[in-house]
Amino acid sequence: MTYLLPRRTCLMLATLSLAVASPSATMAADADQPVALSRGSFLGVQQAVETAVKNHPMLMEGQANLKASEARTEQARSLYYPQVYANANTVAGAGVSNPRFLVGGGLLRENQTTFTGGVIANQRLYDFGYTSNLVESNKLAERAQGQDVNARRALVLLYVQRAYLNSLKRHRLVQIAEETVRERGIIAGQIETLYRQQLKSKLDFDLARVELVNAQSLLVRSRNDLRASFADLNRTMGIAGADDYVLEDISVAVRPQKTLETLINESLSHPEVKRAKEQTASADARLTATKRQYLPTFSAIASGGTFDPFDPRQNQQTGGWWMAGAMVSMPLFTGFLIENQVVEANANRQAASAATSNIEQALTQQVTNAYLDTLTFAQQITLAEEQVKTAQEALQLAKQRYKLGLGTVVEVTQSEVALTAAQTRLADTQYDYKIAEVTLAYTSQGDDTGRILLMSRASTASRLPDTAGQTEGPPVAAY
């Protein structure tokens, strides 16, 4: 017996089903939407790295290539299994279907129309290592693709940390420019007051205004450079984000490095080197598999099906049938196909081996350059700190001399310009050192770059109780 629900009950059930389905649909829609960070939100180093790992197209491409490589390995492994096909054909005239479901002709055969259908299975029994070497080559290529994913990840982490440090540097330059505008505005206001009281000349007032305008121009450019650095940071994270973030305060303290020889030895385990070595091994296995094509291949074949002529007057046996047999095939002449395949495989192996040597040499060069950069910037930081201290003392002295009437406004403005240049040089050097440090970690460690090398000032203070002798960096980045 069939029962019909009332109309109100049907409406209630439909409403409940929509209410239950809506959260899952909303979650699926949210998962498909690209990640976007709001303007003025906090963005830490770890968050930036995790965002890049999830969204950067370079990593997505690497993962897709890895899946394709895994599929190619399974394709090669398919030669270990039987190849089973279903077939059906019909023949009219003097033709006939053989047990392999191929149509052949017959001269002394009576014209007729027949139907043949069934299944054929072909199993490779032995091929002198062709299949095993082919599978091994694809497995090694798959492992090489896995190392390529690791190399891409390390490169993305390098890009993110470089862009993050560059944004911090641009923010520090904005702070310096803002402080310069404030200082020169105060001086310009003081000189303007003295000028109106006829205690200073118009020349002093004009020079102070010129330097104030120069500082304002520098501030405008610094702020635009900061927004551009945020765009670069968004690009390295693989998202369409805002042009304004609150960044984590990163310690710019100079840290001791390992010896150059140790760093070069560590670079030999870089994912790029591992990938190249796996590709060389894969090319070597493929060369071996290609040479095995000269040898025979032993196979077993079996088929079965049904046979039925359309003409009932034909006195022929109909119904099911089966066949089993063995086959040996060996190439005698292929138009130099195998010979040229061997030449190609050998050339690919030589190219892979040369690429491995090239990558090792390039990493050695990059490690050496990054190591020397860290030494250079570390020494320049000390000199820049002394220069800032000297410029600050010179500015204070110039202000006092001008206040006492012993100096000119030119001395004050020149001292301000010198201080701004020294502070800018110090900020550039500090963050260039951190960028060189991150680059050195990438070139020497590669996949270990994921252990975030950039430490916040708070975490550094908790790990290093005594930091009196370390270089101080800019204050917390707040926009």
Side-chain angles (χ1 to χ4, degrees), residues 172-230:
R172 177 55 182 157
L173 296 180
V174 169
Q175 288 180 324
I176 295 173
E178 290 174 344
E179 182 64 25
T180 302
V181 170
R182 276 194 300 268
E183 290 293 332
R184 295 185 184 180
I186 293 174
I187 294 176
Q190 293 174 350
I191 295 177
E192 182 180 6
T193 302
L194 295 175
Y195 165 67
R196 295 187 183 279
Q197 296 175 358
Q198 297 182 353
L199 298 176
K200 294 295 180 181
S201 66
K202 181 71 165 56
L203 177 61
D204 289 354
F205 174 65
D206 291 339
L207 289 175
R209 290 293 302 174
V210 168
E211 292 301 328
L212 177 59
V213 172
N214 290 337
Q216 292 172 341
S217 176
L218 177 63
L219 178 59
V220 171
R221 186 177 64 182
S222 299
R223 286 174 174 172
N224 289 332
D225 290 341
L226 177 60
R227 294 190 180 93
S229 71
F230 284 137

Side-chain angles (χ1 to χ4, degrees), residues 8 27 39 78 101 103 131 150 161 181 192 214 231 248 251 263 272 293 375 450 468:
R8 177 179 297 180
M27 293 176 61
R39 179 181 176 85
S78 66
F101 297 96
V103 179
T131 301
N150 294 334
Q161 294 183 86
V181 170
E192 182 180 6
N214 290 337
E248 182 180 355
S251 172
L263 294 171
E272 289 286 352
Q293 294 183 101
L375 295 181

Side-chain angles (χ1 to χ4, degrees), residues 154-309:
L155 190 59
V156 167
L157 296 183
L158 173 65
Y159 288 161
V160 171
Q161 294 183 86
R162 276 181 170 178
Y164 200 95
L165 287 169
N166 186 57
S167 294
L168 283 174
K169 180 172 72 172
R170 295 300 176 188
H171 174 261
R172 177 55 182 157
L173 296 180
V174 169
Q175 288 180 324
I176 295 173
E178 290 174 344
E179 182 64 25
T180 302
V181 170
R182 276 194 300 268
E183 290 293 332
R184 295 185 184 180
I186 293 174
I187 294 176
Q190 293 174 350
I191 295 177
E192 182 180 6
T193 302
L194 295 175
Y195 165 67
R196 295 187 183 279
Q197 296 175 358
Q198 297 182 353
L199 298 176
K200 294 295 180 181
S201 66
K202 181 71 165 56
L203 177 61
D204 289 354
F205 174 65
D206 291 339
L207 289 175
R209 290 293 302 174
V210 168
E211 292 301 328
L212 177 59
V213 172
N214 290 337
Q216 292 172 341
S217 176
L218 177 63
L219 178 59
V220 171
R221 186 177 64 182
S222 299
R223 286 174 174 172
N224 289 332
D225 290 341
L226 177 60
R227 294 190 180 93
S229 71
F230 284 137
D232 294 339
L233 181 58
N234 290 330
R235 175 66 182 89
T236 60
M237 292 189 295
I239 63 173
D243 61 349
D244 189 6
Y245 295 117
V246 176
L247 300 183
E248 182 180 355
D249 186 21
I250 299 300
S251 172
V252 291
V254 176
R255 296 186 292 180
Q257 301 294 339
K258 300 178 182 179
T259 63
L260 180 58
E261 182 179 359
T262 302
L263 294 171
I264 291 177
N265 291 333
E266 289 180 352
S267 69
L268 298 179
S269 61
H270 195 281
E272 289 286 352
V273 177
K274 294 180 180 179
R275 177 183 60 84
K277 289 183 178 179
E278 296 290 357
Q279 288 179 339
T280 301
S282 173
D284 190 63
R286 185 167 292 275
L287 174 61
T288 303
T290 305
K291 292 180 179 179
R292 293 292 190 272
Q293 294 183 101
Y294 287 119
L295 302 177
T297 300
F298 297 88
S299 304
I301 185 173
S303 63
T306 182
F307 169 80
D308 188 18

